[in-house]
Amino acid sequence: PNTPPISVPPASRERTQTLLHNDETLQSYTGHIRFHQDILAESLRFYAFPQFGLYIWNNARFYLAVRCGQLSHGNRGGHAHCDQLAVELQVDGCDLLADPGTYVYTPSRDSRNRYRSVMAHHAPHTIPPREPNRITNELFVLPDSSRAECLYVDREAFVGCHHGFGSRVYREIEIERTYIKITDWAAKSLRLETPPSFHIESPPIGLLPYSPGYGIIDSQHPTSNVTALNSNRPPSSISLDPVAAID
C-alpha cells in the first residue's frame, strides 16, 4: 500500500503543475491550512488504495485523506456520495475537516440526499452550488458522471481531477512543513468556492451535523454544524429530523 498507484516518470509532478499553471483557460482558487512545524516533525507515511480511490498521509499527530477514484463497483453508486476530491484532516486526534457520515437511508429521503451531496463534503464546490453526480429520489443509485482521476501522487503532493461539472475540475494538494496548500482549478466560466483556509487553532465549522452512526447526530463533535439543520442549501431546504442525538 505504500507504492504510488500511477507509474509515471519523476518529472510528472512538475509537468502536471506546469500544465495547470500555464493554462490560461483555467482559474485557480487557493486555500492554506496552517499548523506548527512540530506537527510534521515525524516523517509522513503514505498509503495508496487506487482501486478504492483513497490516498492517506499520516504520522502519530497528523492524518490527511483524499478521495479520488471509482465512485462505486458497477457504477450503480448504491452507497456512494458526491465526495470526489474531498479531503479529511485530523491533527492530534481532533477532526478539523471531516466527512459528516451517512446519517440515515430510507427514513428521510431529504436527509439521505443531503448527506450524499457534494455540499456535505470538503470537495470543490461551485457557485451557485451544483452536484457532480445526479442525485435523485432513487436513494441507492448515484451514476458516476464525475469520473475522477488521480493524475499524480507522492509523499508530499497530489493532483487529481473530475468531470462532474461538465468540464474538468482539478485539485492540487501540497504538504509543506507548516501548511497544506490546496488549489482548485476550473474553467473561467465555472466559478468555484475557495478551498478550506484556516489555522488549525481556529478551524471552520462543519458543513452538516456530524453523524457517528446510523440515525445519530453528535452535536458536540468539533465539526458538527447544527445550524445546517435548517440550511436552504441544495439539494433540499427541508429540515432534518434526527432519529437520535448526542448532546
Side-chain angles (χ1 to χ4, degrees):
N2 290 299
T3 304
I6 311 298
S7 179
V8 291
S12 248
R13 175 180 175 184
E14 290 73 20
R15 185 166 62 247
T16 301
Q17 291 175 324
T18 298
L19 287 173
L20 290 175
H21 286 264
N22 292 344
D23 191 335
E24 296 183 355
T25 68
L26 298 177
Q27 176 70 44
S28 65
Y29 306 80
T30 301
H32 292 84
I33 303 172
R34 302 185 183 277
F35 42 80
H36 303 296
Q37 63 180 9
D38 59 334
I39 299 295
L40 295 185
E42 176 189 337
S43 61
L44 289 175
R45 297 177 293 270
F46 169 63
Y47 304 91
F49 303 94
Q51 291 184 326
F52 181 73
L54 185 66
Y55 303 89
I56 296 171
W57 298 258
N58 76 342
N59 63 22
R61 303 184 63 189
F62 177 95
Y63 173 92
L64 174 68
V66 180
R67 171 80 168 105
C68 180
Q70 181 175 273
L71 193 67
S72 68
H73 179 70
N75 195 36
R76 182 172 175 82
H79 290 275
H81 289 191
C82 296
D83 59 358
Q84 295 294 355
L85 304 182
V87 298
E88 292 188 80
L89 177 64
Q90 184 186 91
V91 175
D92 288 334
C94 180
D95 288 328
L96 302 174
L97 301 173
D99 186 307
T102 296
Y103 185 43
V104 294
Y105 294 136
T106 56
S108 171
R109 180 176 296 161
D110 175 71
S111 299
R112 166 72 168 150
N113 282 339
R114 292 186 70 182
Y115 277 78
R116 291 200 294 172
S117 170
V118 69
M119 304 308 295
H121 301 87
H122 295 282
H125 293 168
T126 61
I127 303 174
R130 293 167 53 186
E131 296 294 337
N133 302 283
R134 185 168 177 262
I135 293 179
T136 71
N137 287 331
E138 293 187 76
L139 300 183
F140 294 94
V141 175
L142 193 68
D144 187 7
S145 54
S146 52
R147 308 193 316 279
E149 303 174 58
C150 176
L151 303 178
Y152 185 83
V153 64
D154 64 19
R155 292 180 179 272
E156 300 174 345
F158 166 89
V159 182
C161 71
H162 75 61
H163 304 73
F165 299 134
S167 59
R168 282 192 177 193
V169 171
Y170 300 86
R171 171 157 283 189
E172 176 186 11
I173 299 173
E174 299 169 275
I175 306 172
E176 302 292 348
R177 186 70 173 173
T178 59
Y179 63 88
I180 302 166
K181 181 181 178 182
I182 303 177
T183 305
D184 292 341
W185 306 78
K188 292 181 178 179
S189 59
L190 186 67
R191 188 181 173 198
L192 299 181
E193 291 184 1
T194 300
S197 191
F198 59 93
H199 192 282
I200 64 167
E201 293 180 354
S202 301
I205 194 168
L207 301 173
L208 278 178
Y210 182 76
S211 177
Y214 188 80
I216 301 171
I217 285 176
D218 182 358
S219 62
Q220 299 303 310
H221 188 271
T223 68
S224 201
N225 183 356
V226 293
T227 63
L229 286 170
N230 297 308
S231 169
N232 61 1
R233 302 185 79 174
S236 175
S237 60
I238 303 173
S239 299
L240 301 180
D241 296 317
V243 176
I246 299 175
D247 296 319

